[in-house]
């Protein structure tokens, strides 16, 4: 069963950028160009500064929803709980109706129990007029062997409002 205590708030917060962090304005500018696209992938080897470059976006506009994935996020319920709470963390005035659907998860016998949750989150975001928004899924490769969270994410990307990137 879903419990809010499963949600680790530090996974939903961009990493702290030390004052000695090298700010690369050209990279930040390129990343902001992703607002022209629905989806952008930042890919490079370990240690190239992907997370640091994306975290620098949190210091400016547009608003950013951050989710750092770990090994436990391969569970669909854990994944969706963090995704929903990431938006709630960034949008404190957002409706809590999606949380009620997370609580109903265990009782569901549907083939895709995550679909109503994703649809409710999508509808909630579509009703807002305060975009554009950036959603950063840091270390998304953790879901490579997790078909259900990937299906839920694909469902979300296919339905999310045009001002979410």
């Amino acid at each position: 069963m879903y419990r809010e205590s499963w949600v680790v708030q530090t996974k939903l917060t961009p990493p702290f950028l030390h004052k000695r962090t090298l700010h690369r304005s050209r990279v930040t500018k390129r990343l902001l160009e992703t607002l022209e696209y629905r989806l952008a992938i930042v890919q490079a080897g370990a240690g190239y500064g992907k997370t640091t470059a994306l975290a620098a976006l949190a210091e400016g506009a547009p608003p950013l929803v951050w989710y750092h994935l770990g090994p436990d996020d391969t569970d669909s319920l854990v994944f969706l709980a963090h995704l929903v709470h990431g938006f709630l963390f960034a949008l404190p005035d957002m409706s809590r109706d999606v949380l009620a659907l997370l609580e109903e998860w265990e009782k569901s016998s549907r083939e895709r129990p995550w679909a109503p949750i994703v649809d409710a989150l999508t509808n909630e975001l579509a009703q807002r007029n305060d975009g554009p928004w950036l959603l950063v899924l840091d270390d998304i490769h953790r879901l490579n062997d997790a078909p259900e969270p990937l299906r839920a994410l694909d469902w979300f990307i296919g339905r999310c409002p045009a001002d979410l990137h």
Side-chain angles (χ1 to χ4, degrees):
M1 181 177 207
Y2 158 75
R3 292 185 183 90
E4 267 190 64
S5 62
W6 290 359
V7 177
V8 181
Q9 291 294 322
T10 55
K11 293 171 66 164
L12 305 176
T13 308
F16 172 75
L17 296 179
H18 192 275
K19 66 181 179 180
R20 293 187 182 136
T21 299
L22 176 63
H23 291 278
R24 301 183 316 185
S25 58
R26 201 171 91 219
V27 172
T28 301
K29 184 178 179 224
R30 283 298 301 265
L31 289 172
L32 287 173
E33 290 173 6
T34 62
L35 293 172
E36 298 175 21
Y37 304 96
R38 168 75 96 184
L39 177 67
I41 297 173
V42 178
Q43 183 176 352
Y48 276 80
K50 300 174 298 293
T51 298
T52 302
L54 290 166
L57 294 176
E59 295 177 348
L64 179 87
V65 176
W66 187 274
Y67 179 9
H68 177 83
L69 287 98
D72 54 331
D73 296 298
T74 58
D75 179 277
S76 297
L77 182 56
V78 172
F79 172 73
L80 283 176
H82 280 88
L83 184 65
V84 168
H85 279 272
F87 280 100
L88 287 168
F89 190 62
L91 306 166
D93 61 330
M94 191 172 104
S95 167
R96 301 286 198 243
D97 292 346
V98 181
L99 294 179
L101 292 171
L102 279 169
E103 292 171 5
E104 294 290 324
W105 177 289
E106 193 173 62
K107 301 172 191 172
S108 176
S109 60
R110 295 176 49 130
E111 181 181 333
R112 294 184 310 255
W114 44 259
I117 297 165
V118 173
D119 289 344
L121 177 60
T122 301
N123 288 338
E124 179 67 32
L125 295 172
Q127 292 173 11
R128 304 184 68 88
N129 292 320
D130 51 2
W133 285 88
L134 287 174
L135 169 62
V136 174
L137 299 172
D138 190 29
D139 286 339
I140 191 71
H141 68 276
R142 303 277 185 152
L143 297 184
N144 283 348
D145 297 322
E148 282 306 301
L150 282 175
R151 283 187 193 108
L153 180 59
D154 182 56
W155 187 277
F156 180 64
I157 291 170
R159 289 163 173 76
C160 70
D163 59 352
L164 179 65
H165 307 274

